Structure formats: C-alpha cells, structure tokens
C-alpha cells in the first residue's frame, strides 16, 4: 500500500476526524505527526498509537500562526526525514444568522478555516515542490457545496477551500510538481464542531440535526486513507461523505 511509511501531518488532530484519521493511518503503517492546540490530548493519542505498534509524534499547533505552521512541518521532517501528506483538517463552526452580527466569530472562522489552510499550504508547499511529490487533503463541508441558513460565513470559508484546492491541483499539473489534492465534504459527522456554536437557536437546530443523523468520524478517516492510498500518478479530488439517511 502507498500509505505505508508515508509521513502524514494532521492538523486538528486532537479529536474527531483528525484523531480517527491518525489512528487509522498509523495502523496501516504511516508515520503520523499530530498538530492541535490541546497538547495533552495529542500526547494521549500519540501514546496510544505507539503502544499499538505504530509511529507517531506530536507538536502543539495554532494554525492561525504562519510561523508555527512552518515549525510544524520542520519538526515532522526532522523527526521522520520527510513530509509526504498534509491533512489540513482544523476548523470550527460557530453557526449563527448574519443578523446576529457575531463578527468576532466571523473573523475566527476566516482565520482558522481559510487562513489556517493557507498557512498549512505555505508551510508544506516548498517541501512538496522541491521533492516533486506530496499531497494536500482538506476538510471542507457540505456547506462548501450548497448554502445553509445560519452558515453564511462558515460556508463561505468552505467554498473558498474548495476553489483553493482545485486551483492548487491545476497549477501543480501545469508546473510539473506532481502534487496531489483531495477535498472532503462531510455532512453530519460526530465531532466537536457543535461546541463552538454560541447562538441558542442555531445550536438547537444543529443539535437536532446531528442527534438524528450523525455517523462516526472513522467513516471519514477511511476516505482519507483511500485518497492517500491511490497510485502516485492518480489524483482523486473530491469526496462528499455523510449519513445514508441524511438528506443534506
């Protein structure tokens, strides 16, 4: 399998999709490097992976800080000798109607969901370009494919990621750098996303949706593994993932 021995960096790795992906990829022979703000959770996950016979390392990471993204990539290369995949998974979803004017939350979503992805790309792209190989995977959302009430700014960041990744794929093909991209659009997945919602009505609505439909994050992790495991000459660009019973 092409997963084996690849060095995979994962942001937002302390829970949810990031954690599930780290555990699955490590079980298939990848060397995973975990990044998130909660160091104690990263350590616990890495310790579990190592105890199970896998290879893992971790480093606290705030994706909104460009230098810390660069340090994260440098740490991974120093620890394992190379960088093969950057899974840009960190994100937050404080949904609210625009009329609530929660502008501080708008700014935070732009900083994490969009600038955080750009910072990760800027940190890893020189490595991928230099070695003429590498893969960026991002977690967008079904809100990056269609509009939802209460999700204007969240959706805007996720639509932006969709375009960003497609242009990155096209430019890599044109420049001959062989960088692969994959964008994932999850629907109701059991994660900590809802914990960032401060608007009571929006939270009630989202809780009702997730309580009715959500599936576990390992379902997304299996798709992340599928994207990585393709032959190096094959790019699989987009995956929409959600509960079979959810009408999205």
């Amino acid at each position: 399998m092409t997963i084996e021995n690849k060095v995979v960096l994962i942001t937002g790795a302390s829970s949810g999709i990031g954690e599930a992906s780290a555990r699955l990829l490590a079980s298939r022979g990848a060397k995973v490097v975990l990044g998130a703000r909660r160091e104690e959770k990263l350590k616990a996950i890495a310790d579990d992976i190592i105890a199970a016979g896998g290879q893992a390392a971790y480093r606290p990471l705030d994706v909104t800080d460009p230098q810390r993204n660069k340090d994260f990539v440098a740490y991974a290369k120093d620890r394992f000798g190379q960088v093969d995949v950057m899974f840009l998974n960190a994100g937050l979803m404080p949904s609210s109607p625009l009329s609530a004017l929660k502008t501080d939350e708008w700014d935070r979503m732009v900083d994490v969901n969009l600038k955080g992805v750009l910072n990760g790309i800027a940190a890893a792209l020189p490595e991928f370009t230099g070695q003429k190989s590498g893969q960026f995977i991002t977690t967008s959302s079904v809100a990056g494919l269609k509009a939802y009430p209460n999700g204007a700014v969240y959706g805007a960041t996720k639509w932006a990621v969709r375009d960003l990744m497609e242009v990155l794929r096209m430019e890599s093909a044109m420049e001959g750098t062989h960088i692969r991209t994959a964008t994932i659009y999850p629907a109701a997945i059991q994660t900590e996303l809802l914990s960032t919602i401060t608007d009571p009505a929006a939270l009630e609505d989202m809780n009702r949706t997730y309580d009715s439909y959500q599936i576990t994050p390992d379902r997304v992790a299996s798709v992340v593994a599928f994207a990585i495991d393709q032959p190096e000459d094959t790019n699989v660009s987009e995956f929409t993932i959600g509960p079979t019973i959810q009408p999205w």
Side-chain angles (χ1 to χ4, degrees):
M1 294 190 300
T2 60
I3 290 175
E4 190 170 6
N5 291 319
K6 280 196 170 179
V7 178
V8 182
L9 286 64
I10 304 173
T11 71
S14 61
S15 65
I17 292 169
E19 176 184 354
S21 297
R23 293 182 184 276
L24 177 61
L25 295 172
S27 75
R28 296 190 182 181
K31 303 168 186 177
V32 296
V33 184
L34 316 180
R37 290 173 299 167
R38 297 177 294 183
E39 184 172 4
E40 71 285 352
K41 285 187 169 286
L42 295 177
K43 182 179 185 304
I45 296 165
D47 287 347
D48 283 351
I49 289 171
I50 293 168
Q55 297 187 69
Y58 68 92
R59 185 182 179 94
L61 173 65
D62 179 352
V63 298
T64 68
D65 184 329
Q67 186 58 52
R68 293 185 71 174
N69 282 268
K70 293 176 183 177
D71 293 343
F72 183 55
V73 171
Y75 169 74
K77 187 174 182 181
D78 182 65
R79 179 71 175 77
F80 290 119
Q82 63 193 57
V83 176
D84 298 303
V85 181
M86 187 80 163
F87 181 19
L88 301 166
N89 170 69
L92 67 166
M93 187 183 67
S95 302
S96 64
L98 287 170
S99 58
L101 293 177
K102 292 181 178 288
T103 55
D104 57 334
E105 294 181 355
W106 301 355
D107 291 340
R108 184 66 178 159
M109 279 187 279
V110 171
D111 286 344
V112 174
N113 298 355
L114 179 53
K115 289 184 180 178
V117 170
L118 287 167
N119 290 338
I121 291 173
L125 189 56
E127 291 292 332
F128 291 171
T129 300
Q131 65 197 24
K132 291 197 173 183
S133 68
Q135 185 175 27
F136 287 107
I137 302 173
T138 55
T139 302
S140 179
S141 168
V142 290
L145 297 172
K146 60 182 292 187
Y148 293 92
N150 298 327
V153 179
Y154 177 73
T157 64
K158 296 303 186 177
W159 279 80
V161 167
R162 180 188 188 192
D163 182 77
L164 173 64
M165 290 291 282
E166 177 62 3
V167 173
L168 177 59
R169 182 197 65 78
M170 294 170 70
E171 290 180 351
S172 172
M174 294 167 66
E175 294 167 2
T177 51
H178 309 290
I179 297 168
R180 300 190 296 164
T181 68
T183 306
I184 298 171
Y185 306 98
I189 309 297
Q190 187 178 48
T191 69
E192 296 179 355
L193 268 184
L194 273 60
S195 66
T196 64
I197 301 175
T198 62
D199 183 86
L203 179 59
E204 181 181 0
D205 180 64
M206 200 66 74
N207 273 329
R208 185 164 51 248
T209 297
Y210 274 66
D211 288 344
S212 299
Y213 300 119
Q214 66 185 346
I215 55 176
T216 54
D218 59 291
R219 307 298 199 259
V220 182
S222 67
V223 176
V224 174
F226 175 82
I228 295 171
D229 206 31
Q230 298 308 299
E232 294 296 327
D233 65 356
T234 303
N235 193 88
V236 284
S237 297
E238 296 185 305
F239 302 91
T240 305
I241 308 166
T244 303
I245 62 172
Q246 183 186 3
W248 301 349

